[in-house]
């Protein structure tokens, strides 16, 4: 009874976090399901050790892009014979939007790399334990 409950708990834990490891496909033919679930749980725990560095550059991206946009806008306005301050305001607005977009792109890229690295650790762990991983 204890072994069944332990297996049930492991299966439940795997199913709760399955979306992050849904890409791991293991051929379970002739595999002891109890051992498989235990190994899957242990490999998942190992994959959680992947460093999840997030990009916190939003302020820096916005400030840098805003300053560059303001400078370019002021220069463009002055060259065109208009008001440099009006051009600076427009440039700053464009720079601000550019900074937000840059940050969003960096954050998405970092998240994608994190997920791929976790998948690699999970796959390598299961292969190392003798399972036939199909993908």
């Amino acid at each position: 009874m204890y072994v069944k409950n332990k297996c049930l708990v492991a299966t439940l834990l795997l199913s709760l976090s399955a979306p992050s490891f849904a890409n791991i496909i293991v051929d379970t033919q002739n595999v002891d399901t109890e051992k498989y679930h235990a190994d899957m749980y242990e490999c998942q725990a190992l994959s959680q050790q992947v460093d999840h560095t997030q990009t916190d550059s939003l302020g820096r991206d916005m400030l840098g892009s805003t300053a560059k946009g303001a400078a370019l806008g002021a220069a463009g306005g002055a060259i065109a014979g208009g008001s440099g301050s009006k051009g600076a305001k427009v440039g700053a607005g464009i720079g601000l939007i550019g900074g937000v977009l840059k940050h969003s792109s960096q954050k998405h890229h970092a998240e994608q790399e994190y997920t791929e690295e976790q998948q690699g650790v999970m796959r390598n762990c299961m292969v190392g334990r003798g399972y036939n991983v199909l993908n």
Side-chain angles (χ1 to χ4, degrees), residues 18-133:
S20 63
F21 304 105
N23 293 331
I24 301 298
I25 301 170
V26 177
D27 182 2
T28 56
Q29 184 176 2
N30 300 323
V31 170
D32 176 8
T33 57
E34 241 178 72
K35 182 174 176 354
Y36 167 75
H37 288 294
D39 286 340
M40 194 72 146
Y41 176 77
E42 289 172 5
C43 288
Q44 180 182 358
L46 287 172
S47 73
Q48 294 296 318
Q49 294 178 19
V50 171
D51 187 27
H52 191 199
T53 55
Q54 296 182 4
T55 178
D56 293 326
S57 62
L58 180 59
R60 187 181 61 231
D61 288 345
M62 286 186 344
L63 182 62
S65 296
T66 302
K68 288 177 192 172
L72 289 173
I79 290 171
S83 166
S85 64
K86 194 176 206 178
K89 289 177 187 174
V90 171
I94 292 170
L96 180 65
I97 292 168
V100 170
L101 292 175
K102 179 181 176 185
H103 173 75
S104 177
S105 173
Q106 288 175 339
K107 188 172 183 175
H108 175 72
H109 182 71
E111 199 62 39
Q112 193 173 15
E113 282 183 347
Y114 171 71
T115 300
E116 288 172 7
E117 191 170 345
Q118 271 192 318
Q119 291 289 341
V121 169
M122 186 73 181
R123 182 186 190 290
N124 292 340
C125 181
M126 292 300 283
V127 168
R129 291 171 186 239
Y131 293 96
N132 185 18
V133 179

Side-chain angles (χ1 to χ4, degrees), residues 1-30:
M1 181 81 170
Y2 174 73
V3 174
K4 283 185 179 181
N5 287 340
K6 186 177 177 183
C7 186
L8 180 62
V9 170
T11 303
L12 180 61
L13 288 173
L14 282 173
S15 67
L16 289 175
S17 58
S20 63
F21 304 105
N23 293 331
I24 301 298
I25 301 170
V26 177
D27 182 2
T28 56
Q29 184 176 2
N30 300 323

